[in-house]
Amino acid sequence: MGTLIIVLTYIAYVLIVVVYTIKITAWLKMPPHIRWDLYPVIHEENYRYGGSYYEQPEWWTKPRPRNTWRSLFYSLKDNFYMGEYYKRNRTYWLCLLPWHLGFIFIITFHILCFFAAVAMFGGLDIAANAPHVAGRVFYTILLLTGGFAFVSGTFGSIGMPIIRLADRGLRTYSMPMNYFNYLFFLVVYGSGLLAWLLLDPTLDEYRAYWLGLITLTPPELHPMTVLHIILFDIFLIYLPFTRSTHYITRILAYFFIRWDDEPNLPGSELEKQIVGLLGRKVSWEGKHIPTGRSWAEAAMESGLPETKKDTP
Amino acid sequence: MPQLEIGGTTYEVDEDGFLQELDKWGRGFAQGYAAVEGIEGELTEDHWKLIDYIRDYYAQFGIAPMIRKMCKDTGFDLKRIYALFPSGPAKGACKLAGLSKPTGCV
Amino acid sequence: MKKNIHIDDFTRPGGQVTELDPAELDPLPPPYDKIDKPSIRKLTEEQRKRMDASLDGIVAIGLTPPKTPEEEKAFIDKFLAGIKKLFSADDNWTFLQPLVHTLEYCVKCQICSDACPVYISSGRQDIYRPTMRPELFRRIVSKYIKKEHPFLRKIKDSDIDLNWQTLARLGELAYRCTLCRRCAQVCPLGCDNALISREIRKVFSQQMGIAPKELHEKGSVQQLRVGSSTGMTPAALKNILEFAEEEIEEKTGRKIKIPVDKKGADILLIHNAGEFLAWPENLEAFAIILDAAGVDWTLSTEIAGYDSVNYGVWYDDFQFARVVIRQSQAAKSLGVRKISFGECGHAHKAGIVVADRVLTGDLIIPRESSLPMLEEIVMSGRIKLDPGRNNFPVTLHDPCNMVRLMGIVEPQRRILRKICPQFREMTPHGVENYCCGGGSGFAITQSTNFPDWRSAVSGRMKMKQILEAFQDVPGAEVKKYVCAPCSNCKGQFRDMFEYYGVWEKSGILYGGLVELIVNAMADLKKPFIQWEWH
């Protein structure tokens, strides 16, 4: 059993990193698109009321100060707060936020366990009554993170399907997979919650598990914890195949679509890219489009019916 | 394409009754259409003055005249035009004058 | 009766997905709460034979049904080939990334529904949810483009049976969204359901050659052929300008020559040509201000050089690009230093922002909004203004394209605060404003019963906002002014105000921003705004 969870865990982490990387790369590799910005643009000076650099006469002669840190903070903050839901659908938010915090905290918990295991390997004792203060602090943080993840995730996984079924709009747009996910995540969090409350109140076993992982020694664990860890590994493997990448792509969408207000100035790198894109061939079949010609050629001609022969 | 029969002649019109074949217009069209547009009886001299003005302008410039210019050149104010053509200058007068429906952001 | 709408309702041949009941629409404040006429005309039986109205009984495109099963199959196949092109980096580099992001990452949480004025105003009709179009679209992609396994489609609830009727309804539905993008603004995941409306329109236009006549045939095609979507030729333009010069002299006593095709001028000003025909006072006011401020400007008589409209931005990338290229060429041939856009929202967004990644090399000519320039003129004191002349209630409408989609929020407000003592804001306003209801080409879509729909449904939220902004002075005896610095929005207000009888009931006039500036000019003998032209 111990060997199984070590192998499974390694597979899970490799897979999640690889699939996430592939997905994010594919997102980023799409060509630059036409400007489609939407205000407020947070890096703008007058973001408070949604103002842009176009508010100044001859904007191209003026500096365009950008505050990227502000945008980054703004977009990251929402991963932990989900403000639009708080503002617009409070009941939904009450379940949605704990559900999401469950994800964040359970993954954080495991990452922290990894560091704890490294520290333990280096000789630090991590426990409620550890001799060194660092060991006691580490212990408390781990306990709070793990405990919160289990409770919050369980609460969210029970609440989400209830809310979805109760709200007319959400019900219509729910698919069987949503309910399967809620159930599966409930089992993951619930098994963790039970193992913690009933068998492992100090969450000691996770440190043992992670120590086993980094030293490649199969740990001796309670079957209940093993069950939870196997479920958690399956969860990790499943995660990249769901829409979970939205944690990252939503931020990309903010930066590269909604807030992308980079003007195309003569001689810029952007202009070169656009020249390349304009050279691509189009295959649209509408009568006003010269099928098979380049984008630029299609745009330069008038497309008037009298200038184009009917194509069969 | 919808059709409209006026005084025994069939005309091609658009969905809102604007004449599609400008060359088919005749005084019979305008008179026959008047009833549809809520104008009772024979078209008066004032009606014809406006219709002729619109048609002349169209022949020269390819579009309907601006309402303000129409008022100024004919001496009718907007109220008078609405009294003559209850659907108004664009939807009433221009329609009887056989113009197609105005397009663009007008 | 309101019922839950399912995908099957869209794929079922025959019948109508939904029937709008005026009594179910979001109520308006009195005296507009009484419905004294059937607010949305019904098509005749004969019209229904020619035009598909099986979505909601309203017609924007009005597709003709196919006559044979072969015709139907050919239609569907061609359409699907078009959808495939949307996912090609060659055919659709222009919008690939935002499109893919929205399709992949929308979780259908319905936050956007509450932000959508069409959905809310309709009395929360399911078909108008911003998630409805993407749902249909996503299912088509899942089954016919990605060819996902039936089991996967089952658990993802993404099945659909395509027939001609489904596509006809999808096409119409793409024209029930004003592209105001309020939905996208509130989306926590950065999705843009309004863009899906545009992408569906695009497949219809770029692949099938199908678009509302007012947008394509009588719109962008006419503009590229004649010079303006209004059909106005350069000769007609000159005639109109002469008239405007006469009017300026009559109203202000000033003799102003409106500069045309002036080589080497500093600014090429491009107006929406609709202003010339329907609201010449706007063009006159511009001329008066620029003349008084000593600006070196000109109009152009080249194709698209005197009509800033660019309907392509609503439905077709190529028609869009063709117009911006011609606008740049017009500026280049005159040798002006920059292009300035008059009071037209979508022309701002299209010509200044979206155009940015289509123009390269010497076609990149600096382009800007005329609003900051007007602000500078008003604030500089170069013209003497007396706010007392504008002492009537004024509210400001924010054209989506200029404000939410471009971030020009304050210049127009700073002007109004300075020259209109009774200026008041609508709620909400600025980047959170509601669309006038005429966005994305609706205001110019004049045929059959579509104008009824846009007055009764898509413009309803704005109607409510305007009435609320003036609730302290509701009576028709107090003359009030809605400042809308956009021809398209003005067109919508004109039709909507007529539809509800707003002038008679509430005494509300609509108009542009420059008219208010000129109306405040201290040395004019009589007021510039003529209330009798309501």
Side-chain angles (χ1 to χ4, degrees), chain A residues 23 27-40 49-60 78 84-85 88-89 92 164 168-178 243-246 249-250 253-254 256-258 260-266 270-271 274-275 277-278 280-290 295-296 298-306, chain C residues 4-5 78 82 85-86 89-91 93-98 100-101 104-111 119 124 126 129 131-132 135 154-157 181 184-190 192 195 198 205-207 216 221 224-225 316-319 321-322 325-326 329 337-338 349 352-354 356-361 364 366-368 372 376 403-411 431:
Chain A
K23 280 192 156 185
W27 199 103
L28 287 169
K29 270 179 76 177
M30 282 185 275
H33 50 85
I34 274 193
R35 287 259 313 261
W36 204 236
D37 22 341
L38 187 58
Y39 291 78
Y49 66 78
S52 73
Y53 55 75
Y54 290 120
E55 288 194 323
Q56 311 176 69
E58 316 232 323
W59 57 267
W60 56 94
D78 214 46
E84 287 296 342
Y85 294 98
R88 291 164 202 279
N89 193 344
Y92 187 48
R164 277 223 172 235
R168 189 173 75 98
L170 289 168
R171 189 172 59 237
T172 320
Y173 284 94
S174 298
M175 50 191 187
M177 212 156 93
N178 289 128
R243 273 189 290 233
S244 64
T245 4
H246 70 232
T249 53
R250 61 178 285 276
Y254 279 23
F256 293 102
I257 302 171
R258 195 185 283 188
D260 176 10
D261 62 351
E262 185 60 32
N264 171 24
L265 300 172
L270 183 62
E271 191 197 9
I274 293 166
V275 170
L277 292 167
L278 290 172
R280 298 194 173 195
K281 297 258 183 297
V282 295
S283 67
W284 294 100
E285 295 166 58
K287 274 189 186 162
H288 60 296
I289 298 172
W295 217 99
M300 289 307 281
E301 63 171 66
S302 66
L304 294 175
E306 55 264 37
Chain C
N4 281 337
I5 301 289
K78 193 173 178 189
K85 287 168 197 169
L86 283 184
D90 292 333
D91 279 309
W93 60 270
T94 46
F95 284 98
L96 184 66
Q97 197 171 51
V100 170
H101 180 79
E104 299 279 323
Y105 290 104
C106 167
V107 293
K108 308 171 198 174
C109 70
Q110 303 305 319
I111 285 289
Y119 170 65
R124 299 177 181 265
D126 274 347
R129 281 181 188 273
T131 45
M132 192 75 242
E135 180 66 16
K154 192 141 193 82
I155 59 165
K156 282 169 72 180
D157 196 19
R181 295 179 68 214
Q185 192 182 38
V186 302
C187 179
L189 298 173
D192 188 343
L195 176 71
R198 188 179 181 276
S205 179
Q206 294 180 182
Q207 176 75 0
H216 188 68
V221 171
L224 291 165
R225 178 192 290 132
D316 190 300
D317 291 350
F318 295 93
Q319 293 296 87
R322 285 165 181 164
I325 288 170
R326 273 147 195 85
Q329 284 170 337
R337 196 169 58 85
K338 62 179 179 184
K349 176 78 178 177
I352 302 171
V353 186
V354 188
D356 209 34
R357 295 192 185 160
V358 170
L359 301 171
T360 55
I364 305 182
R367 303 170 311 275
E368 68 174 351
E376 201 180 51
V403 182
R404 175 169 33 257
L405 307 185
M406 202 176 161
I408 300 180
V409 188
E410 276 293 313
V431 290

Side-chain angles (χ1 to χ4, degrees), chain C residues 166-456:
Chain C
T166 315
L167 293 181
R169 287 167 175 151
L170 181 67
E172 278 295 335
L173 195 57
Y175 287 94
R176 298 294 181 278
C177 159
T178 67
L179 302 185
C180 82
R181 295 179 68 214
R182 243 181 152 256
C183 55
Q185 192 182 38
V186 302
C187 179
L189 298 173
C191 297
D192 188 343
N193 282 327
L195 176 71
I196 305 293
S197 305
R198 188 179 181 276
E199 296 299 280
I200 296 169
R201 294 178 180 192
K202 225 162 85 177
V203 176
F204 272 96
S205 179
Q206 294 180 182
Q207 176 75 0
M208 315 298 289
I210 297 166
K213 264 204 179 89
E214 292 91 339
L215 260 58
H216 188 68
E217 192 188 322
K218 307 270 187 194
S220 61
V221 171
Q222 177 145 277
Q223 186 183 14
L224 291 165
R225 178 192 290 132
V226 184
S228 161
S229 59
T230 57
M232 186 193 296
T233 56
L237 172 70
K238 284 184 180 150
N239 179 267
I240 288 164
L241 294 178
E242 277 166 28
F243 175 77
E245 286 165 359
E246 278 168 35
E247 279 221 322
I248 292 173
E249 196 176 348
E250 276 164 30
K251 285 183 198 166
T252 68
R254 299 181 182 191
K255 256 186 135 45
I256 295 173
K257 178 87 197 127
I258 297 176
V260 176
D261 290 334
K262 184 179 161 196
K263 292 258 178 203
D266 193 42
I267 303 173
L268 165 63
L269 179 63
I270 314 185
H271 284 296
N272 180 320
E275 302 284 358
F276 298 137
L277 291 168
W279 304 285
E281 62 276 16
N282 183 272
L283 126 93
E284 293 161 13
F286 260 102
I288 296 167
I289 296 168
L290 297 181
D291 179 71
V295 175
D296 177 20
W297 66 293
T298 185
L299 298 177
S300 160
T301 57
E302 294 216 18
I303 298 266
Y306 58 95
D307 194 354
S308 67
V309 307
N310 193 339
Y311 300 162
V313 79
W314 299 321
Y315 77 101
D316 190 300
D317 291 350
F318 295 93
Q319 293 296 87
F320 156 74
R322 285 165 181 164
V323 170
V324 297
I325 288 170
R326 273 147 195 85
Q327 284 168 347
S328 261
Q329 284 170 337
K332 206 172 89 177
S333 72
L334 285 174
V336 297
R337 196 169 58 85
K338 62 179 179 184
I339 303 176
S340 183
F341 286 86
E343 295 186 11
C344 175
H346 88 278
H348 266 69
K349 176 78 178 177
I352 302 171
V353 186
V354 188
D356 209 34
R357 295 192 185 160
V358 170
L359 301 171
T360 55
D362 59 357
L363 284 178
I364 305 182
I365 289 166
R367 303 170 311 275
E368 68 174 351
S369 163
S370 55
L371 268 49
M373 173 176 71
L374 290 169
E375 185 195 357
E376 201 180 51
I377 293 172
V378 166
M379 298 300 164
S380 69
R382 266 189 278 173
I383 47 178
K384 217 168 138 16
L385 299 167
D386 169 16
R389 291 171 156 244
N390 282 337
N391 198 9
F392 42 83
V394 174
T395 191
L396 174 67
H397 165 66
D398 288 301
C400 302
N401 281 293
M402 211 179 257
V403 182
R404 175 169 33 257
L405 307 185
M406 202 176 161
I408 300 180
V409 188
E410 276 293 313
Q412 60 273 44
R413 295 190 149 70
R414 287 192 283 255
I415 293 173
L416 290 183
R417 282 186 215 116
K418 190 176 161 88
I419 63 168
C420 297
Q422 295 192 50
F423 170 58
R424 72 273 312 279
E425 292 278 11
M426 294 188 206
T427 315
H429 60 264
V431 290
E432 287 176 14
N433 78 315
Y434 281 111
C435 169
C436 62
S440 82
F442 289 7
I444 57 162
T445 308
Q446 293 289 8
S447 94
T448 58
N449 58 1
F450 195 82
D452 292 347
W453 184 85
R454 68 176 157 86
S455 289

Side-chain angles (χ1 to χ4, degrees), chain A residues 109 111-144 200-208 210-211 214:
Chain A
F109 171 65
I111 293 170
L112 287 174
C113 282
F114 162 75
F115 286 111
V118 173
M120 282 159 74
F121 188 68
L124 184 72
D125 188 12
I126 295 176
N129 53 2
H132 198 280
V133 64
R136 294 198 295 276
V137 170
F138 219 148
Y139 168 82
T140 315
I141 291 173
L142 281 170
L143 193 67
L144 288 176
D200 182 21
T202 61
L203 294 176
D204 204 27
E205 294 218 300
Y206 291 92
R207 289 187 287 277
W210 271 95
L211 198 58
I214 60 170

Side-chain angles (χ1 to χ4, degrees), chain B residues 1-2 15-16 57 61-69 71-72 78 82 91 100-101 103-106, chain C residues 47 50-51 218 222 229-231 239 243 246 250-251 272 274 276 280-281 311 444 447-448 494 530 533:
Chain B
M1 191 65 81
E15 295 301 337
D16 305 290
Y57 192 91
F61 295 109
I63 47 168
M66 308 147 82
I67 295 170
R68 295 210 172 188
K69 195 167 164 54
C71 291
K72 204 169 172 189
L78 203 54
Y82 270 95
K91 288 178 195 153
S100 52
K101 194 164 42 194
T103 56
C105 296
V106 295
Chain C
Q47 280 178 316
R50 280 183 289 110
M51 298 185 289
K218 307 270 187 194
Q222 177 145 277
S229 59
T230 57
N239 179 267
F243 175 77
E246 278 168 35
E250 276 164 30
K251 285 183 198 166
N272 180 320
F276 298 137
E281 62 276 16
Y311 300 162
I444 57 162
S447 94
T448 58
R494 177 191 52 209
Q530 297 174 319
W533 287 98

